[in-house]
Amino acid sequence: MLDQFEKQLEYCTYCPRLCQSACPVLATEGNEAHAPWGIMQTLNMVRRGEIPFDEEIAALSYQCLTCKACTEQCHHGNEIPPVLHEVRKLAVKHDLAPPEITGFLEKFHRHNNPFSKDLLQKLKKIVPAKYFQKDTPVIYFASCTTIAQCPEVIRDTFELFEKLKIDFVGIYPESIQCCGYPLITGGLEDEFVELAEINFNTFKQYKTIITGSPACVYTLRETYKEYALGLGSRVVSINEFLEPYLHNINYQIKKSIRTKIIYHDPCYSCRYLHEVDRPRELIGQVTGIQPVEFNHHGEKTACSGQGGCYSIMNKDVSDQICKVRLEEVYEKNIQTIITQCPSCIHKFRKNSNHLIIKDLVSYLNDCIEGTKD
Amino acid sequence: MIIEAPRIKKAFLAKIETLLGSNGYSTKTIDRFNYTRDSNFRSTIKAYYNKTEAAPDLIVWPKNTEQVQKLVKLAIRHRVPIVPFGGGSGVSGGTIAVKGGMIIDMKRMHRILKLDTKNLLVTAQAGMLGKILEDELQRQGYTLGHFPSSILCASLGGYLAARSAGQQSSRYGKIEDMVREMEVVTGRGEIVNTRDVSNTSGMDLNQIFVGSEGTLCLFTTATLKIYPLPETQNFQSVRFKNMRTAIEAIRRIMQLGIKPSVVRLYDKLDSLLLLSTKSPSRKKRDDLTDILSKLIKYQSLKTALAMPQFLSALVHAVSTGCVVIFVFEGHKRIVKEEERLVMEISKNMGGETLGPDPAKHWMENRYRVSYEASPLFYHGLFTDTIEVAGTWDVLPVLYKEMIKSLSQHALIMAHLSHVYMDGGSFYFTFVAPLTGSKKTEILYDKIWDKAMKLVQKLGGVISHHHGIGRLKMKHMATEWGNGAEIYLKLKHYYDPYGIMNPGKLYSADKKIMEKAA
Ligand SMILES: Cc1cc2nc3c(=O)[nH]c(=O)nc-3n(C[C@H](O)[C@H](O)[C@H](O)COP(=O)(O)OP(=O)(O)OC[C@H]3O[C@@H](n4cnc5c(N)ncnc54)[C@H](O)[C@@H]3O)c2cc1C
Ligand code: SF4
Ligand code: SF4
């Protein structure tokens, strides 16, 4: 078991814990067992057959945000999340997964999303009907978390499309509005594959699938490929899609955009998709403003606390991690955070009272008045 | 792999729960397993062979000094051994709970409490990790000047406990030179603040606690000197024909009163490794393994290491000399003059200038060497480092004799990396094959034992900055001589119940303590 990760597990076992200072979970909890080194050396003992694979080990594999801050600091480039994803899958297969995870699955099953809600119905209330009727090869996949937790982003996206005279994008009209990321990060592989197959068969009818959630981009682009459901270059991040329009179209800028903003890099944007410069360039392109940077930004970003399915099992620690990130915003006396991940947006909003937390697209939409022609 | 069930009384545990809440402590097997070792390589060898060190009975994570104090008082009442834990980067087995008991992990106390830019002082909690502290200071335009190779994983409390030295200690001093004030919780359960005392004349009380490795107290906060970030940094590298000349050149430099921030003299093998890794990409294989794996291609390294003397001779034959790298920092004009003087002395001593590149390259990769252990163990080799110190008259002999003696057992290389007016610290790295659990542990112990005795015989000291822990404890009686009595008196006073990190630093068993009393 886990032999495919033998080298990573062995390296961590012999390492003097050189990525400890990068891990937000360790920084908050202080528990060596939940640090990258601890998780990996424990799993190595499971691999070697020294420790039984039981519920405790299964639970251990969920003590990680999958943020890859450790990988960023590891000279060997060791990746912890793929190992943990594998353990989670095994945990589910062997009926060892924590009750929170099985409970999550029950919730998911009701409407094929983690929120137990008919998100298509909700989506229909967010965007005008005309976008549903479009017979178009280009669609916008809103993502379950965005629909459920920050629906204004979808409205703003289509408003921005209109301002930029982009009239050929429809909205993904199916009843399943989730790419399956919450399932696969929770180790629910069979359910993920079932869902992904259904999605794949509808997605492949489109030429371009635009999405604003970095975890969805990664899942559709990379994880689907691992299950021979590759959508290849069909999957485009909203930033990639908007970039040429924002470059070439002559639009007017609102006058009141001089607000100081700080940009938070979601882990999936910068460490999985390696999109560090593009969001900053788009902000610069539209507003001429350079966002204030967090002390840890770009590939050295710090997780909002909402990474992976960590918060399902560890709500308090996850909130504490978020508060540490927010403390810096207060210290820097900034009122507005711009970011790009619906989970980060939701997390920040829940843990702050007066801050304005916006998706990048909403921000750009706010700044742009309309085209000049 | 066996972790015994925890032995704790219910009443004690109930008090802990009331004090810290359910997420403030753990008795879980997996958590306890992860606190069975620090980063000492004897334990890593054990891990290689699926063996574990002693496990603590519980781990606690206090959030403030008051909680630490209450924990100590509880431990006194219930006679539970206490083992302070910082980053776990210690390499002397200092955090192993040899008598079980309670590990007090300080990492939830991880904040800067005060940055006093007028007087250039920082006050921080002891559980703060070195990198996080230094990054924060640098963001504000300051530096602690303390850059141990373990900065990524060591804590402030660990620095103080083990008398840590950074790579730039020649300029900034060791942690004991940086500390101004401390708050500690002693084994009596009292909070002691060294402030009032060190600010007046008389003894510097900081120095009673610094280096005590958790055997007298827990450090909770410390105030340290800081410096403005240097205006400039210059780099130079020089090659000398042999170690003796290089050591002499460095002595002359240091005794002129020049304070380069980095002076590192590499012996022939270490120089080979230093120079062979110019401009590596991040994904490139690790230096040491790179070279050694090259050797593997031609002849099995394990076979070669069966004849370590031969391998050393081979390396010394192909190598062209010993490299010294210098970094100068501070005010531009001073730096320029320091560099000029150093290069003049080096030249007069027959040094050949290699330019700034090797030094710059070292600086860019200053923590890379710390990652070497993983690939070595993975390839069936074990390693460790022995850092010892001596005065200038001792150092050349110490180097020669250590290499001669230890190369019978392992591939050995050295660098001189912390130098002062009166001497410096040699850092010996050894590598040998893993040849079975028992055999390897015997070899490991033999190398250490031989090294420690030799250093003491030659008039050196057995540790400059890694501390004593469990590893070197048995050599401390010789090291301290009758000075040990001072320690034992302190131990008797500050740890009257013998609960503070037992089995570390100095044998303080009952009989010895009774005698001291
Ligand atoms: C790769 C590597 C490179 C290293 N390079 C250097 C170097 O360049 N310079 C150097 O000085 N050291 C170096 N070390 C050794 C080690 O990092 C130091 O000894 C460091 O000071 C230990 O700090 P820690 O927080 O990890 O302590 P730990 O390992 O957690 O503990 C070390 C000792 O300190 C005690 N202790 C810890 N915290 C407290 C506290 N708050 N109060 C009281 N006692 C406490 C423990 O009980 C133990 O006895 C290196 C180690 C490694 C693995
Ligand atoms: S991920 Fe890298 S740095 Fe972290 S413990 Fe593993 S080997 Fe060490
Ligand atoms: S991925 Fe993030 S949370 Fe997980 S071990 Fe690494 S640093 Fe910690």
Side-chain angles (χ1 to χ4, degrees), chain A residues 6-7 10-11 13-18 21 27 29-33 38 41-42 45 48 50-51 56-57 71-76 295 327, chain B residues 1 30-31 33-35 37-39 47-48 50 61 85 87-88 105 107-108 110-111 131 139 152-153 282 286 368 370-371 374-375 377-378:
Chain A
E6 186 227 21
K7 189 172 167 196
E10 287 277 299
Y11 266 43
T13 303
Y14 307 130
C15 176
R17 340 165 182 223
L18 292 162
S21 49
E29 275 192 33
N31 186 353
E32 294 290 317
Q41 77 140 357
T42 308
M45 292 304 144
R48 291 184 189 173
E50 291 293 315
I51 296 182
E56 238 188 298
I57 295 294
T71 309
E72 187 54 35
Q73 191 157 306
C74 174
H75 175 65
H76 308 296
N295 295 337
E327 256 174 41
Chain B
M1 210 196 70
I30 289 184
D31 293 338
F33 166 63
N34 278 287
Y35 283 87
R37 60 179 167 122
D38 56 8
S39 301
Y48 185 89
N50 296 327
W61 294 275
F85 195 102
D105 187 330
K107 279 197 289 295
R108 286 193 194 168
H110 57 189
R111 299 215 160 226
K131 181 175 187 290
R139 267 194 285 278
L152 303 173
C153 49
R282 190 166 177 270
D286 320 85
R368 259 187 78 195
S370 303
Y371 290 86
S374 298
F377 271 88
Y378 185 65

Coordinates of all heavy atoms in Angstrom, one line a residue, chain A residues 6-7 10-11 13-18 21 27 29-33 38 41-42 45 48 50-51 56-57 71-76 295 327, chain B residues 1 30-31 33-35 37-39 47-48 50 61 85 87-88 105 107-108 110-111 131 139 152-153 282 286 368 370-371 374-375 377-378:
Chain A
E6 N 6.6 5.7 -2.4 CA 7.7 5.3 -1.5 C 8.8 6.4 -1.3 O 9.2 6.7 -0.2 CB 8.4 4.0 -2.1 CG 9.4 3.4 -1.1 CD 10.7 3.1 -1.9 OE1 11.0 3.6 -2.9 OE2 11.5 2.3 -1.3
K7 N 9.2 7.0 -2.4 CA 10.3 7.9 -2.3 C 9.9 9.2 -1.5 O 10.7 9.6 -0.6 CB 10.8 8.3 -3.7 CG 12.0 9.2 -3.7 CD 12.6 9.4 -5.0 CE 13.6 10.5 -5.0 NZ 14.0 11.1 -6.2
E10 N 9.7 8.2 2.2 CA 11.0 7.9 2.8 C 11.7 9.2 3.0 O 12.3 9.5 4.0 CB 11.8 7.0 1.9 CG 11.3 5.5 1.9 CD 11.8 4.8 3.1 OE1 13.0 4.6 3.2 OE2 11.0 4.3 3.9
Y11 N 11.7 10.1 2.0 CA 12.4 11.4 2.1 C 11.9 12.1 3.3 O 12.7 12.7 4.1 CB 12.2 12.2 0.9 CG 13.3 12.0 -0.2 CD1 13.8 10.8 -0.5 CD2 13.8 13.1 -0.9 CE1 14.8 10.6 -1.4 CE2 14.8 13.0 -1.8 CZ 15.3 11.7 -2.1 OH 16.3 11.6 -3.0
T13 N 10.5 11.0 6.0 CA 10.8 10.3 7.2 C 12.2 10.7 7.7 O 12.5 10.8 8.9 CB 10.7 8.8 7.0 OG1 9.4 8.5 6.6 CG2 11.1 8.0 8.3
Y14 N 13.1 10.9 6.8 CA 14.5 11.1 7.2 C 14.8 12.6 7.2 O 16.0 13.0 7.4 CB 15.5 10.5 6.2 CG 15.2 9.0 6.0 CD1 15.1 8.4 4.8 CD2 15.0 8.2 7.1 CE1 14.8 7.0 4.6 CE2 14.7 6.8 7.0 CZ 14.6 6.3 5.8 OH 14.3 5.0 5.7
C15 N 13.8 13.4 6.9 CA 14.1 14.9 6.8 C 14.0 15.6 8.2 O 13.1 15.2 9.0 CB 13.0 15.5 5.9 SG 13.1 17.2 5.7
P16 N 14.9 16.5 8.4 CA 14.7 17.3 9.7 C 13.6 18.3 9.6 O 13.8 19.4 10.0 CB 16.1 17.9 9.9 CG 16.7 17.9 8.6 CD 16.1 16.9 7.7
R17 N 12.5 17.9 9.1 CA 11.2 18.7 9.0 C 11.4 20.1 8.4 O 11.1 21.1 9.1 CB 10.6 18.9 10.4 CG 11.0 18.0 11.4 CD 10.7 18.2 12.8 NE 11.3 17.1 13.5 CZ 10.8 16.5 14.5 NH1 9.6 16.8 15.0 NH2 11.4 15.4 15.1
L18 N 12.0 20.2 7.3 CA 12.4 21.5 6.8 C 11.3 22.4 6.2 O 11.5 23.5 5.8 CB 13.5 21.3 5.7 CG 14.8 20.8 6.4 CD1 15.8 20.2 5.4 CD2 15.5 21.9 7.2
S21 N 8.0 25.5 8.9 CA 7.6 26.9 9.0 C 6.7 27.3 7.9 O 6.2 28.4 8.0 CB 8.9 27.8 9.0 OG 9.7 27.4 8.0
A27 N 1.3 25.8 12.1 CA 1.5 27.1 12.7 C 0.3 27.4 13.7 O 0.5 28.1 14.7 CB 1.5 28.2 11.7
E29 N -2.0 24.8 15.0 CA -2.2 23.7 16.0 C -0.9 23.4 16.8 O -1.0 23.0 17.9 CB -2.6 22.4 15.3 CG -4.0 22.3 14.9 CD -4.2 20.8 14.5 OE1 -3.6 19.9 15.0 OE2 -5.0 20.6 13.6
G30 N 0.2 23.5 16.1 CA 1.5 23.2 16.8 C 1.7 21.7 16.9 O 2.7 21.3 17.5
N31 N 0.9 20.9 16.4 CA 1.0 19.4 16.5 C 1.9 18.8 15.4 O 1.5 18.8 14.3 CB -0.4 18.8 16.5 CG -0.4 17.3 16.8 OD1 0.7 16.7 17.0 ND2 -1.5 16.7 17.0
E32 N 3.0 18.2 15.9 CA 3.9 17.6 14.9 C 3.3 16.5 14.1 O 3.7 16.3 12.9 CB 5.1 17.0 15.7 CG 6.0 18.0 16.4 CD 6.8 18.9 15.4 OE1 7.4 18.3 14.4 OE2 6.9 20.1 15.6
A33 N 2.3 15.9 14.7 CA 1.6 14.8 13.9 C 0.8 15.3 12.7 O 0.6 14.5 11.8 CB 0.7 14.0 14.9
G38 N 5.2 15.0 10.0 CA 4.6 14.0 10.8 C 3.6 13.1 10.1 O 3.6 11.9 10.2
Q41 N 5.7 10.8 7.8 CA 6.5 9.7 8.4 C 5.5 8.7 9.0 O 5.8 7.5 9.0 CB 7.5 10.2 9.5 CG 6.9 10.6 10.8 CD 7.7 10.2 12.0 OE1 8.8 9.6 11.8 NE2 7.4 10.6 13.2
T42 N 4.3 9.1 9.5 CA 3.3 8.2 10.0 C 2.8 7.3 8.8 O 2.8 6.0 9.0 CB 2.2 8.9 10.6 OG1 2.7 9.9 11.6 CG2 1.2 8.0 11.3
M45 N 5.1 4.6 7.9 CA 5.1 3.4 8.8 C 3.9 2.5 8.4 O 3.9 1.3 8.5 CB 5.0 3.8 10.3 CG 6.3 4.5 10.8 SD 7.7 3.5 10.5 CE 9.0 4.7 10.1
R48 N 5.0 0.7 5.4 CA 6.0 -0.4 5.8 C 5.3 -1.5 6.6 O 5.9 -2.5 7.0 CB 7.1 0.1 6.6 CG 8.1 1.0 5.8 CD 9.2 1.4 6.8 NE 10.1 2.4 6.3 CZ 11.0 2.9 7.1 NH1 11.2 2.5 8.3 NH2 11.8 3.9 6.6
E50 N 4.1 -1.2 9.6 CA 4.4 -1.1 11.0 C 3.2 -0.6 11.8 O 3.1 -0.7 13.0 CB 5.6 -0.2 11.2 CG 6.9 -0.7 10.7 CD 7.3 -2.0 11.5 OE1 7.3 -1.9 12.7 OE2 7.7 -3.0 10.9
I51 N 2.4 0.2 11.1 CA 1.2 0.7 11.8 C 0.0 0.3 11.0 O 0.0 0.4 9.8 CB 1.3 2.3 11.8 CG1 2.4 2.8 12.6 CG2 0.0 2.9 12.3 CD1 2.5 4.3 12.7
E56 N -7.9 5.9 12.8 CA -7.0 7.1 13.2 C -6.1 7.6 12.0 O -6.0 8.8 11.8 CB -6.1 6.6 14.3 CG -6.3 7.4 15.6 CD -5.3 7.1 16.7 OE1 -5.2 5.9 17.1 OE2 -4.5 8.0 17.0
I57 N -5.6 6.6 11.3 CA -4.8 7.0 10.1 C -5.6 7.6 9.0 O -5.3 8.6 8.4 CB -4.1 5.7 9.5 CG1 -3.1 5.1 10.5 CG2 -3.4 6.0 8.2 CD1 -1.9 6.0 10.8
T71 N 5.4 22.0 -0.2 CA 6.1 21.6 -1.4 C 6.9 22.8 -1.9 O 8.0 22.6 -2.3 CB 5.0 21.3 -2.5 OG1 4.1 20.3 -2.0 CG2 5.7 20.8 -3.7
E72 N 6.3 24.0 -1.7 CA 7.0 25.2 -2.1 C 8.3 25.4 -1.4 O 9.3 25.8 -1.9 CB 6.1 26.4 -1.9 CG 6.5 27.7 -2.3 CD 6.8 27.8 -3.8 OE1 6.2 27.1 -4.6 OE2 7.8 28.5 -4.2
Q73 N 8.4 24.9 -0.1 CA 9.6 25.1 0.7 C 10.5 23.9 0.6 O 11.6 23.9 1.1 CB 9.2 25.4 2.1 CG 10.4 25.8 3.0 CD 9.9 26.6 4.2 OE1 9.2 27.6 4.1 NE2 10.4 26.2 5.4
C74 N 10.0 22.8 0.0 CA 10.8 21.5 0.0 C 11.7 21.5 -1.2 O 11.3 21.6 -2.3 CB 9.9 20.3 0.0 SG 10.8 18.8 -0.2
H75 N 13.0 21.4 -0.9 CA 14.0 21.3 -1.9 C 13.8 20.1 -2.9 O 14.2 20.2 -4.0 CB 15.4 21.3 -1.3 CG 16.5 21.2 -2.3 ND1 16.7 22.1 -3.3 CD2 17.3 20.2 -2.5 CE1 17.7 21.7 -4.0 NE2 18.1 20.6 -3.6
H76 N 13.2 19.1 -2.3 CA 12.9 17.9 -3.2 C 11.6 18.0 -3.9 O 11.3 17.1 -4.7 CB 12.9 16.7 -2.3 CG 14.1 16.5 -1.4 ND1 15.4 16.3 -1.9 CD2 14.2 16.6 0.0 CE1 16.2 16.3 -0.8 NE2 15.5 16.4 0.3
N295 N 2.1 39.6 3.0 CA 3.5 39.2 3.2 C 3.8 37.9 2.5 O 4.9 37.8 1.9 CB 3.8 39.1 4.7 CG 3.6 40.4 5.4 OD1 3.7 41.4 4.8 ND2 3.4 40.3 6.7
E327 N -5.8 39.2 9.8 CA -5.1 40.1 10.7 C -4.2 41.0 9.9 O -4.1 42.2 10.2 CB -4.2 39.3 11.7 CG -4.7 39.2 13.1 CD -3.9 38.3 13.9 OE1 -2.6 38.4 13.8 OE2 -4.4 37.4 14.7
Chain B
M1 N 6.7 -2.0 15.3 CA 6.9 -0.7 16.0 C 5.9 -0.7 17.1 O 4.7 -0.8 17.0 CB 6.5 0.4 15.0 CG 7.2 1.6 15.3 SD 6.4 2.9 14.4 CE 4.9 3.1 15.3
I30 N -0.9 8.1 17.7 CA -0.2 8.8 16.5 C 0.5 10.1 16.9 O 1.6 10.4 16.5 CB -1.2 9.0 15.4 CG1 -1.6 7.6 14.8 CG2 -0.6 9.9 14.3 CD1 -2.5 7.7 13.7
D31 N -0.2 10.8 17.8 CA 0.5 12.1 18.2 C 1.7 11.8 19.0 O 2.8 12.4 18.8 CB -0.5 12.9 19.0 CG -1.7 13.4 18.2 OD1 -1.5 13.5 17.0 OD2 -2.7 13.7 18.7
F33 N 3.5 9.1 18.9 CA 4.6 8.6 18.0 C 5.4 9.7 17.3 O 6.6 9.6 17.2 CB 3.9 7.7 16.9 CG 4.8 7.4 15.8 CD1 5.9 6.6 15.9 CD2 4.5 7.8 14.5 CE1 6.8 6.3 14.9 CE2 5.3 7.5 13.4 CZ 6.5 6.8 13.6
N34 N 4.7 10.8 17.0 CA 5.4 11.9 16.3 C 6.2 12.7 17.3 O 6.8 13.7 16.8 CB 4.3 12.7 15.5 CG 4.0 12.0 14.2 OD1 4.9 12.1 13.3 ND2 2.9 11.4 14.1
Y35 N 6.1 12.4 18.5 CA 7.0 13.1 19.5 C 8.0 12.2 20.1 O 8.5 12.5 21.2 CB 6.1 13.8 20.6 CG 5.5 15.1 20.1 CD1 4.2 15.0 19.5 CD2 6.1 16.3 20.3 CE1 3.6 16.2 19.0 CE2 5.5 17.5 19.8 CZ 4.2 17.4 19.2 OH 3.6 18.6 18.7
R37 N 10.8 11.5 18.7 CA 12.2 11.9 18.3 C 12.3 13.3 17.9 O 11.3 13.9 17.5 CB 12.8 11.0 17.2 CG 12.0 11.0 15.9 CD 12.7 10.1 14.9 NE 11.8 9.9 13.7 CZ 12.2 10.2 12.5 NH1 13.3 10.8 12.2 NH2 11.3 9.9 11.5
D38 N 13.5 13.9 18.0 CA 13.8 15.2 17.4 C 14.4 14.9 16.1 O 14.1 13.9 15.4 CB 14.6 16.0 18.4 CG 15.9 15.4 18.8 OD1 16.2 14.3 18.2 OD2 16.6 15.9 19.6
S39 N 15.4 15.6 15.7 CA 16.1 15.4 14.4 C 17.5 14.7 14.6 O 18.3 14.8 13.7 CB 16.1 16.6 13.5 OG 14.9 17.1 13.3
A47 N 14.5 4.9 13.0 CA 13.4 5.0 12.1 C 13.6 4.2 10.9 O 12.6 3.6 10.4 CB 13.0 6.5 11.8
Y48 N 14.8 4.2 10.4 CA 15.1 3.5 9.1 C 14.8 2.0 9.4 O 14.3 1.3 8.5 CB 16.6 3.7 8.8 CG 17.1 3.0 7.5 CD1 17.0 3.8 6.3 CD2 17.6 1.8 7.5 CE1 17.4 3.2 5.1 CE2 18.0 1.2 6.3 CZ 17.9 1.9 5.1 OH 18.3 1.4 3.9
N50 N 12.6 0.8 11.5 CA 11.3 0.6 12.2 C 11.4 0.5 13.7 O 10.6 -0.2 14.3 CB 10.6 -0.6 11.7 CG 10.3 -0.5 10.2 OD1 10.0 0.6 9.7 ND2 10.4 -1.7 9.5
W61 N -0.1 21.7 24.5 CA 0.2 22.9 23.8 C -0.3 24.1 24.5 O -1.5 24.6 24.2 CB -0.5 22.8 22.4 CG 0.1 21.7 21.5 CD1 1.2 21.8 20.7 CD2 -0.4 20.4 21.3 NE1 1.4 20.6 20.1 CE2 0.4 19.7 20.4 CE3 -1.5 19.7 21.9 CZ2 0.2 18.4 20.0 CZ3 -1.7 18.3 21.5 CH2 -0.9 17.7 20.6
F85 N 9.5 21.2 24.2 CA 9.7 20.9 22.7 C 9.5 22.2 21.9 O 8.5 22.9 22.1 CB 8.6 19.9 22.3 CG 8.9 19.2 21.0 CD1 9.4 17.9 20.9 CD2 8.6 19.9 19.8 CE1 9.6 17.3 19.7 CE2 8.8 19.3 18.6 CZ 9.3 18.0 18.5
G87 N 11.0 23.3 17.9 CA 10.8 22.9 16.5 C 11.1 21.4 16.3 O 10.8 20.8 15.2
G88 N 11.8 20.7 17.2 CA 12.2 19.4 17.0 C 13.3 19.2 16.0 O 13.5 18.2 15.5
D105 N 4.9 21.3 24.2 CA 5.2 21.9 22.9 C 4.9 23.3 22.9 O 3.7 23.7 23.2 CB 4.4 21.1 21.8 CG 4.9 21.6 20.4 OD1 5.3 22.7 20.2 OD2 4.8 20.7 19.4
K107 N 4.9 25.6 20.5 CA 4.7 26.2 19.2 C 3.4 27.1 19.1 O 3.2 27.9 18.2 CB 4.7 25.2 18.1 CG 6.1 24.9 17.7 CD 6.2 24.2 16.3 CE 5.6 22.8 16.4 NZ 6.5 21.9 17.2
R108 N 2.5 27.0 20.1 CA 1.3 27.9 20.0 C 1.7 29.2 20.6 O 0.9 30.2 20.6 CB 0.1 27.3 20.8 CG -0.5 26.2 20.0 CD -1.9 25.7 20.5 NE -2.3 24.5 19.9 CZ -3.3 23.7 20.3 NH1 -4.0 24.1 21.3 NH2 -3.6 22.6 19.7
H110 N 3.7 31.8 19.6 CA 4.5 32.1 18.4 C 4.4 33.5 17.9 O 4.4 33.7 16.7 CB 4.1 31.1 17.3 CG 2.6 31.2 17.0 ND1 2.0 30.3 16.2 CD2 1.7 32.0 17.4 CE1 0.7 30.6 16.1 NE2 0.5 31.6 16.8
R111 N 4.3 34.4 18.8 CA 4.1 35.8 18.4 C 5.3 36.7 18.8 O 5.9 36.5 19.8 CB 2.9 36.4 19.0 CG 1.6 35.6 18.7 CD 0.4 36.5 18.5 NE -0.6 35.8 17.7 CZ -1.2 36.3 16.7 NH1 -1.0 37.6 16.4 NH2 -2.1 35.7 16.1
K131 N 12.5 31.1 11.1 CA 12.3 31.7 9.8 C 11.1 32.8 9.9 O 11.2 33.8 9.3 CB 11.9 30.7 8.8 CG 11.7 31.3 7.4 CD 11.4 30.2 6.3 CE 11.4 30.8 5.0 NZ 10.2 31.6 4.7
R139 N 11.0 42.2 7.0 CA 9.9 43.0 6.4 C 9.9 44.4 6.9 O 9.6 45.4 6.3 CB 8.6 42.4 6.6 CG 8.1 41.4 5.5 CD 6.7 41.1 5.6 NE 6.4 40.2 6.7 CZ 6.5 38.9 6.5 NH1 6.9 38.3 5.4 NH2 6.2 38.0 7.5
L152 N 14.6 27.0 9.2 CA 13.3 26.7 8.6 C 12.5 25.9 9.6 O 11.3 25.7 9.5 CB 13.5 25.8 7.3 CG 14.3 26.5 6.2 CD1 14.5 25.5 5.1 CD2 13.5 27.7 5.7
C153 N 13.1 25.3 10.7 CA 12.4 24.4 11.5 C 12.7 24.5 13.0 O 12.2 23.8 13.8 CB 12.6 23.0 11.1 SG 14.4 22.5 10.8
R282 N 16.7 24.3 -9.3 CA 16.0 23.8 -8.1 C 15.8 22.3 -8.1 O 15.8 21.7 -7.0 CB 14.7 24.6 -7.9 CG 14.1 24.4 -6.6 CD 13.0 25.4 -6.3 NE 12.4 25.1 -5.1 CZ 11.3 24.3 -4.9 NH1 10.8 23.7 -6.0 NH2 10.8 24.1 -3.8
D286 N 20.7 16.6 -5.3 CA 21.4 17.2 -4.2 C 22.9 17.0 -4.3 O 23.3 16.0 -4.7 CB 20.9 16.6 -2.9 CG 19.4 16.4 -2.9 OD1 19.0 15.4 -3.5 OD2 18.7 17.3 -2.6
R368 N 20.4 24.7 1.6 CA 20.2 23.5 0.8 C 20.8 22.2 1.5 O 20.3 21.1 1.4 CB 20.8 23.7 -0.5 CG 19.8 24.0 -1.6 CD 20.4 24.0 -2.9 NE 20.7 22.7 -3.5 CZ 21.4 22.4 -4.5 NH1 22.1 23.4 -5.0 NH2 21.6 21.2 -4.9
S370 N 20.9 21.3 4.3 CA 20.1 20.7 5.3 C 19.2 19.6 4.7 O 18.7 18.7 5.5 CB 19.2 21.7 6.0 OG 20.0 22.7 6.5
Y371 N 18.9 19.7 3.4 CA 18.0 18.7 2.8 C 18.7 17.4 2.4 O 18.1 16.5 1.9 CB 17.4 19.3 1.5 CG 16.4 20.4 1.8 CD1 16.8 21.7 2.0 CD2 15.0 20.1 1.9 CE1 15.9 22.7 2.2 CE2 14.1 21.1 2.1 CZ 14.5 22.4 2.3 OH 13.6 23.4 2.5
S374 N 17.9 13.3 3.6 CA 16.8 12.4 3.0 C 17.4 11.5 1.9 O 17.3 10.3 2.0 CB 15.7 13.2 2.5 OG 15.1 13.9 3.6
P375 N 18.0 12.1 0.9 CA 18.5 11.2 -0.2 C 19.6 10.3 0.3 O 19.7 9.2 -0.2 CB 19.0 12.2 -1.3 CG 19.1 13.5 -0.6 CD 18.1 13.5 0.5
F377 N 19.9 8.8 3.3 CA 19.3 7.6 3.9 C 18.5 6.8 2.9 O 18.6 5.6 3.0 CB 18.3 8.1 5.0 CG 19.0 8.3 6.4 CD1 19.6 9.4 6.8 CD2 19.0 7.2 7.3 CE1 20.2 9.6 8.0 CE2 19.6 7.3 8.5 CZ 20.2 8.5 8.9
Y378 N 17.9 7.5 2.0 CA 17.1 6.8 1.0 C 18.0 5.8 0.2 O 17.6 4.7 -0.3 CB 16.5 7.8 0.1 CG 15.5 7.2 -1.0 CD1 14.4 6.5 -0.6 CD2 15.8 7.2 -2.3 CE1 13.5 5.9 -1.5 CE2 14.9 6.7 -3.3 CZ 13.8 6.0 -2.8 OH 12.9 5.5 -3.8

